[in-house]
Amino acid sequence: MATTSNQKSPSKPGQPLADFTPDTPELLIRRHQTGIWRYLRFLGADEDVVDDLLQETLLAVLRKDADGTFKQQSHKQTAAYLRATARNQFISRHRKAGREPDTVAIEAAESVWADVARDYGLENYLEALQDCLRSVSERAASALRLFYSDRRSRVEVADELGMKPAGVKTLLRRTRESLRDCIERKVTS
Amino acid sequence: MNNSSLSGQPLPRDNGELKERLVEVGLSEILSGDLPPDYTQALLKRLDETAIRPQPLHRDTAVRRAAQVSAFLAAAACLLLLLRFAEDHLQEFAKASERVAAVPDFRQNKLATKNFTPARKGSSEAGMRDYTVMVPEQRSREESYTVMSAEPRQRTQSYTVMVPENRQRSEQYTVPREGRFSSPQGANTGLHGTPVDGEIARKIRYNSTLNLVVDQFDGVIDRVNSVVARHDGYVGQTNLGQMRGEQRSGSWTIRIPVGNYQAFLQEVDEIGILDARHESAQDVTVQFTDLERRIENKKKLEERIIKLLERPDDELKHVIEVERELARIRSEVEGLEGQRQVMLNQTSLATITLHVREERDYVPPTVPTVGSRLGNAWSNGFARTGNFFMNLAIWFIERLIPIVICLIVAFFLLRWLRSWRAMRKLGAGS
């Protein structure tokens, strides 16, 4: 995934950076599609919906880029614009399905994403996660593998590990908390 | 078996829980290989299908600029058209105003109309001036005299006649430079008489139209007939009718010998009040002379042919040919003599068209006073102002068509541009 960093030159608000070259459609898609896909998953978009939302988001922004409604000024600004578009698509999809989205939670999620995902693709975050996974216990690693990789239910994981389902739930929660803290330490260091 | 740990779970509001959720996103991707697909080619294809790939110049900008240039060109073209029309017709408009100003004013004793027809190049018709003069008499009279040159493109002279007794009577005749009219005062001579100082008496066709108004139509027919009989004339056509309610009227076409023409006019004037009078005289002397010379030449030819027949030793076929030629010449002579007779008839008898209408308590126009003239000037001012604005409106309406066309084109162009942009926005937002 291309993650070119070119946001060093200062620039006035609303104007492109001095050395910034707008992405072509192909480059824009390649640069941002993964990050938007992860963002939509983070918001809770279903697997059968997330692909549609991702394509519609990218198409809408590319069209606006083509007719001049949207002008690329930096990759970070483009990523934020794409997230806003994806968020609107997500909310719109919710409403069409007859469900009222929790806009407060969505705004909070955006705030967390902007804070944690310093890059626009979450790449550094995932690298840090991989590092942190090496430090978890054997039991926790097994629970994570069974739950996330094999997609077993908590009951099945509990049977496999000889635990109660509630214990599995607690184990997973604590493991995630430890990973979260580990990642924050790595990212901020 | 769970499909996805994220699907269906409500989004928490707590930052800590949200960060845990972010960890879950990472775990799903790292542990289960739940990698995001590459949609690059699919999306580029969809962009190609909708044909909105970025262009060197944004399309809407190009269209907007093209529309602006088109609108500017259309406006410039409209302006040029307007200027062209204005240039072409401004003079015409000024002339129209002049024509409005030259409307005959029967209440003011001024020269009412003045028309001038120049001789056309290569035409056999002569230049002609035709003046109509209002005469301030107890009975207002409209007189029109026209004298035209019989020679093509002959230079003309004008005469002005002042009539005594404070009755300013301006008559302007146009006659040939070589004409034999001794003087305008001799209009009786030039117009109504024939004696001239040349070898050939002038042949002139006289035509007059008189409009009379009578209180009682009874007896008018007998009086007209008796006047016509007294001057050795005859009535060619009579029309009698009752028009406009009780108003009766009649018209006569009368032929009177030229010698009695003037006397007849004076006498017929007494039948009623003269409302209008038009007189014209057409000099056909040259045509008449030409006709006579042609007849003379043909007769001489006829005599020579007869002499040929008198030769005793001629063959029969020659005799037949000569007789055939003689018959042709005689036929031509008869035709020419017929024309001469017609012309003699036309020039020896004047044609007077007399219209008489019945109108009770008819008051002819009188000599205007200072007050009436001021009133007339006031009303004329209104009338002329109205005519001016009417002509102005007509002038604008005539030029309105190209303006309206330009406006319609601009309107549809702008509307199309607006709808096109709206559709673009709609397409981009969907």
Side-chain angles (χ1 to χ4, degrees), chain B residues 87 109 170 195 218 227 239 255 288 306 317 362 380 387:
Chain B
E87 190 182 0
N109 307 302
S170 175
D218 300 332
V227 172
N239 292 311
R255 304 298 306 276
F288 187 78
I306 291 171
K317 65 176 185 181
Y362 173 72
N380 286 341
N387 283 327

Side-chain angles (χ1 to χ4, degrees), chain B residues 309 314-327:
Chain B
L309 281 175
D314 220 350
E315 293 180 14
L316 181 59
K317 65 176 185 181
H318 290 158
V319 171
I320 292 170
E321 282 181 11
V322 168
E323 282 190 344
R324 190 182 296 130
E325 186 63 17
L326 182 63

Side-chain angles (χ1 to χ4, degrees), chain A residues 25-26 29-30 33-34 37-38 41-44 46-47 51 54-56 58-60 62-63 65-68 102 104-106 108-109 112-113 115-116 122 125-126 129-130 133 144 147-153 156 173 176-177 179-180 183-184, chain B residues 1-9 11-32 34-44 46-47 50 52-55 58-61 424-425 427-430:
Chain A
E26 183 176 355
I29 295 167
R30 290 194 188 284
Q33 65 175 343
T34 308
W37 186 88
R38 287 168 182 157
R41 295 287 291 139
F42 172 57
L43 291 180
D46 296 337
E47 286 175 344
D51 290 349
L54 171 66
Q55 292 189 53
E56 293 306 318
L58 286 167
L59 276 176
L62 286 171
R63 282 172 179 150
D65 183 50
D67 66 15
D102 187 351
V104 176
I106 289 172
V112 167
W113 182 279
D115 183 44
V116 173
L122 211 66
Y125 186 90
L126 290 179
L129 177 60
Q130 277 189 325
L133 276 174
L144 290 174
F147 189 76
Y148 288 105
S149 178
D150 299 344
R151 299 199 173 183
R152 302 277 183 89
S153 66
E156 288 170 339
R173 181 171 54 78
R176 284 196 300 265
E177 284 174 356
L179 287 171
R180 179 194 67 193
I183 291 167
E184 283 188 353
Chain B
M1 185 92 182
N2 77 78
N3 287 331
S4 168
S5 58
L6 298 168
S7 299
Q9 287 186 19
L11 195 62
R13 294 184 177 183
D14 179 64
N15 272 12
E17 291 179 14
L18 282 166
K19 284 177 182 174
E20 273 185 48
R21 192 181 175 90
L22 202 55
V23 171
E24 276 193 289
V25 171
L27 288 171
S28 294
E29 188 173 324
I30 291 168
L31 295 176
S32 70
D34 192 9
L35 294 170
D38 185 2
Y39 284 114
T40 309
Q41 295 306 320
L43 288 171
L44 289 175
R46 284 182 69 179
L47 278 174
T50 48
I52 55 166
R53 294 289 298 277
Q55 302 295 323
H58 287 304
R59 184 172 292 183
D60 68 329
T61 309
R424 286 296 308 273
K425 281 186 178 176
S430 64

Side-chain angles (χ1 to χ4, degrees), chain B residues 360-414:
Chain B
R360 297 179 192 278
D361 304 324
Y362 173 72
V363 180
T366 56
V367 177
T369 62
V370 174
S372 66
R373 290 182 69 177
L374 284 172
N376 290 339
W378 182 255
S379 58
N380 286 341
F382 268 114
R384 285 175 188 176
T385 306
N387 283 327
F388 172 81
F389 282 110
M390 188 180 70
N391 286 336
L392 195 67
I394 291 168
W395 186 84
F396 268 114
I397 287 167
E398 281 177 358
R399 280 118 200 116
L400 206 60
I401 294 169
I403 298 171
V404 167
I405 288 171
C406 290
L407 286 176
I408 288 171
V409 169
F411 170 75
F412 280 110
L413 196 67
L414 287 173

Side-chain angles (χ1 to χ4, degrees), chain B residues 231-242:
Chain B
H231 292 90
D232 300 327
Y234 66 92
V235 176
Q237 191 177 359
T238 306
N239 292 311
L240 300 171
Q242 191 166 1

